[in-house]
Amino acid sequence: DVKVTQSSRYLVKRTGEKVFLECVQDMDHENMFWYRQDPGLGLRLIYFSYDVKMKEKGDIPEGYSVSREKKERFSLILESASTNQTSMYLCASSLGTGVPGANVLTFGAGSRLTVL
Amino acid sequence: AQTVTQSQPEMSVQEAETVTLSCTYDTSENNYYLFWYKQPPSRQMILVIRQEAYKQQNATENRFSVNFQKAAKSFSLKISDSQLGDTAMYFCAFMKLQGAQKLVFGQGTRLTINP
């Protein structure tokens, strides 16, 4: 089975700090995604990447940036954390194309970020 | 832009009962995919079921089945013989057939199965 690993389950940061959330997948997936999950809002897409060094903005990219230097790793960066970025962050990956089910996203366990 | 709406924030049923979770969506696309994902209290989101819009037959996976009404843009999930392990958040999601394979999610329904 594909494994998507998020480096931290729980983080507590101060306002203004730079925050890195790391995500690694082990099945050579082309696509990787960062979502934010908030009660009553579901999951909202922050950024996604369909290839190394390629990235596209999702629905709520403001205040975030991403990095994908290697195929298996997709990092979410909060340049200057703010209290309204307190949330659950979910990373996901998908194979891409070529076989049935290639578009199914596999999710990591999530990273709960609290910004004080 | 596509939107997905789940109008039931919370539901609760007794073990062994059948429960139906509602989902409606809005899109101008003709071909697309629809998904139901489950997020148990441990937080790992997992796929429950997937439906291709160009297939008229409703998808089924063991105790899980969908009622896909394309004209009404409705995609409900039925769980038969519910079990305690079905307790979770359930998310309905939409994906375009062409272009970037990104999911658009609904707000979620918190389902509790009571013993």
Side-chain angles (χ1 to χ4, degrees):
Chain A
D1 285 349
V2 176
K3 193 169 183 180
V4 178
T5 303
Q6 296 184 229
S7 55
S8 304
R9 286 299 303 270
Y10 301 95
L11 303 94
V12 179
K13 298 293 181 180
R14 296 282 181 188
T15 300
E17 280 192 77
K18 190 168 186 176
V19 181
F20 292 87
L21 299 180
E22 305 287 344
C23 175
V24 177
Q25 49 94 4
D26 66 357
M27 280 297 289
D28 203 34
H29 279 186
E30 299 291 331
N31 301 324
M32 296 190 76
F33 308 83
W34 274 107
Y35 283 89
R36 170 176 171 161
Q37 182 179 2
D38 298 289
L41 297 178
L43 281 74
R44 295 176 291 167
L45 182 63
I46 304 171
Y47 267 97
F48 66 100
S49 168
Y50 51 89
D51 201 353
V52 176
K53 297 190 185 293
M54 304 301 289
K55 60 185 179 185
E56 286 198 24
K57 293 180 180 180
D59 300 317
I60 52 164
E62 296 79 16
Y64 304 94
S65 62
V66 290
S67 172
R68 194 171 181 196
E69 296 296 318
K70 293 186 178 181
K71 192 174 186 179
E72 67 270 19
R73 187 180 297 271
F74 192 37
S75 302
L76 179 68
I77 304 155
L78 287 66
E79 295 289 342
S80 178
S82 63
T83 55
N84 62 12
Q85 293 179 309
T86 291
S87 187
M88 171 69 81
Y89 291 87
L90 295 178
C91 176
S93 70
S94 67
L95 180 60
T97 59
V99 298
N103 65 348
V104 174
L105 270 65
T106 299
F107 285 83
S111 297
R112 167 75 65 186
L113 172 66
T114 301
V115 183
L116 302 176
Chain B
Q2 289 75 34
T3 59
V4 178
T5 302
Q6 295 177 248
S7 59
Q8 305 153 310
E10 294 188 22
M11 297 186 71
S12 178
V13 298
Q14 296 298 119
E15 193 175 8
E17 290 184 347
T18 294
V19 59
T20 299
L21 281 59
S22 301
C23 173
T24 58
Y25 58 94
D26 188 26
T27 183
S28 58
E29 303 284 326
N30 188 48
N31 290 315
Y32 45 86
Y33 296 95
L34 294 163
F35 301 80
W36 278 98
Y37 275 85
K38 167 185 177 180
Q39 188 180 45
S42 65
R43 296 288 186 179
Q44 191 88 36
M45 189 91 73
I46 56 175
L47 176 70
V48 176
I49 202 164
R50 182 179 72 142
Q51 174 83 41
E52 294 91 340
Y54 53 87
K55 290 186 178 179
Q56 293 187 347
Q57 186 172 6
N58 289 326
T60 62
E61 288 287 342
N62 300 313
R63 297 182 295 106
F64 298 87
S65 62
V66 297
N67 183 6
F68 173 48
Q69 302 289 328
K70 191 174 183 180
K73 297 181 180 175
S74 171
F75 184 60
S76 61
L77 175 69
K78 185 172 82 171
I79 306 173
S80 303
D81 186 26
S82 57
Q83 301 174 358
L84 297 179
D86 296 332
T87 292
M89 282 290 291
Y90 286 82
F91 292 96
C92 178
F94 172 100
M95 181 187 288
K96 290 166 62 175
L97 185 67
Q98 302 293 339
Q101 293 181 341
K102 50 184 180 176
L103 284 171
V104 177
F105 285 88
Q107 302 90 333
T109 296
R110 182 177 302 280
L111 176 65
T112 302
I113 310 299
N114 298 306

